[in-house]
Amino acid sequence: MTDREPSLDPLVDPAAMRKQYRAQGLDEKDLAAHPMDQFSRWFEDAARAAVRGSLYEPNAMVVATADPAGRPSSRTVLMKQYDTDGFVFYTNYDSRKARELAGNPYISLLFPWHPIARQVIVTGVARRTDRDETAAYFRTRPHGSQLGAWASAQSSVITSRDELDDAYAALGVRHPEGEPVPVPPQWGGFRIAPQTVEFWQGRENRMHDRLRYVARPDGAWDVERLSP
């Protein structure tokens, strides 16, 4: 950025960008009793929007973690499973996010479904999936993605793209298409047990609906409405 005056062109001026949300509202009486059941309803809507071509990768979520000093970091990953126990994604355990979760298991997830004026915001605790669950998922990945899990020392500094491509090519020779690829020992999943799950529905004039499930010690959930 420079010290020049900001552009007045509304196409590139963030202050001039406006979107009026005209979606149907979200009412407490319409919510499922459990947040993961409500998530399932909304995820199905997002998946249908993706089929229509109006939303890209509905299982993409922003994952936020923090290091021991409290400095946050975030990145987009793909959610690969959800059930009553929470959300699952897979990564290299030597990556920045995995190293931060090893020291601080508290995590936040954000599903940014902007084309349908919805967001889901989750806070919770992450724990590693067991190796059997990890292996079962790894076997469903395309062959190229299996090789990629071995080739990439995720989050580490590399000298060039050629270094990465050479490592991938060597793995392709060692594990040709059609032959099983072992699960990398440094690769696996995290399951996020939610403590809060907020469902954000865009409304006109920024008067959005925000309903948040909050876990109780007895396993039940309270629902509270947040001001937009």
Side-chain angles (χ1 to χ4, degrees):
M1 300 295 291
T2 67
D3 293 332
R4 66 182 176 81
E5 289 295 318
S7 171
L8 298 180
D9 184 346
L11 290 176
V12 295
D13 182 1
M17 295 177 179
R18 296 283 186 274
K19 180 67 175 180
Q20 188 69 283
Y21 304 122
R22 293 184 172 86
Q24 182 178 356
L26 181 63
D27 195 278
E28 288 87 341
K29 65 179 174 56
D30 297 324
L31 290 179
H34 195 284
M36 297 309 296
D37 292 331
Q38 182 64 34
F39 179 83
S40 183
R41 294 177 183 177
W42 273 27
F43 188 73
E44 290 174 6
D45 290 343
R48 283 192 288 268
V51 170
R52 295 193 298 268
S54 60
L55 191 153
Y56 185 69
E57 289 193 314
N59 61 325
M61 61 184 184
V62 179
V63 171
T65 57
D67 67 14
R71 293 170 295 199
S73 63
S74 60
R75 72 290 291 162
T76 301
V77 305
L78 297 178
M79 182 265 295
K80 287 301 180 180
Q81 182 185 344
Y82 69 91
D83 53 29
T84 304
D85 295 327
F87 305 86
V88 177
F89 71 90
Y90 291 87
T91 188
N92 188 309
Y93 285 145
D94 293 327
S95 65
R96 178 176 179 177
K97 57 184 170 296
R99 287 185 281 109
E100 291 184 346
L101 288 172
N104 176 8
Y106 293 101
I107 190 171
S108 178
L109 314 176
L110 167 65
F111 292 87
W113 297 327
H114 303 309
I116 56 175
R118 286 178 174 176
Q119 301 180 72
V120 179
I121 305 100
V122 179
T123 65
V125 178
R127 60 174 176 82
R128 291 187 180 190
T129 57
D130 63 42
R131 293 309 290 175
D132 288 342
E133 183 177 359
T134 292
Y137 169 70
F138 187 80
R139 288 192 292 269
T140 71
R141 287 164 63 95
H143 180 257
S145 296
Q146 293 178 342
L147 297 183
W150 278 98
S152 172
Q154 197 173 87
S155 300
S156 65
V157 176
I158 57 177
T159 58
S160 68
R161 175 73 196 200
D162 289 342
E163 177 185 342
L164 184 64
D165 290 340
D166 290 346
Y168 183 88
L171 284 161
V173 173
R174 190 182 314 157
H175 303 290
E177 185 81 45
E179 292 190 7
V181 179
V183 182
Q186 76 282 7
W187 189 92
F190 282 100
R191 181 179 298 278
I192 292 82
Q195 296 177 326
T196 69
V197 185
E198 177 187 334
F199 293 87
W200 182 102
Q201 175 67 71
R203 300 290 300 275
E204 287 186 318
N205 302 314
R206 300 300 186 261
M207 297 292 285
H208 313 307
D209 286 324
R210 298 175 60 189
L211 298 181
R212 181 171 64 186
Y213 291 79
V214 180
R216 289 174 16 194
D218 63 0
W221 295 84
D222 292 324
V223 175
E224 51 193 18
R225 178 174 285 272
L226 306 179
S227 177

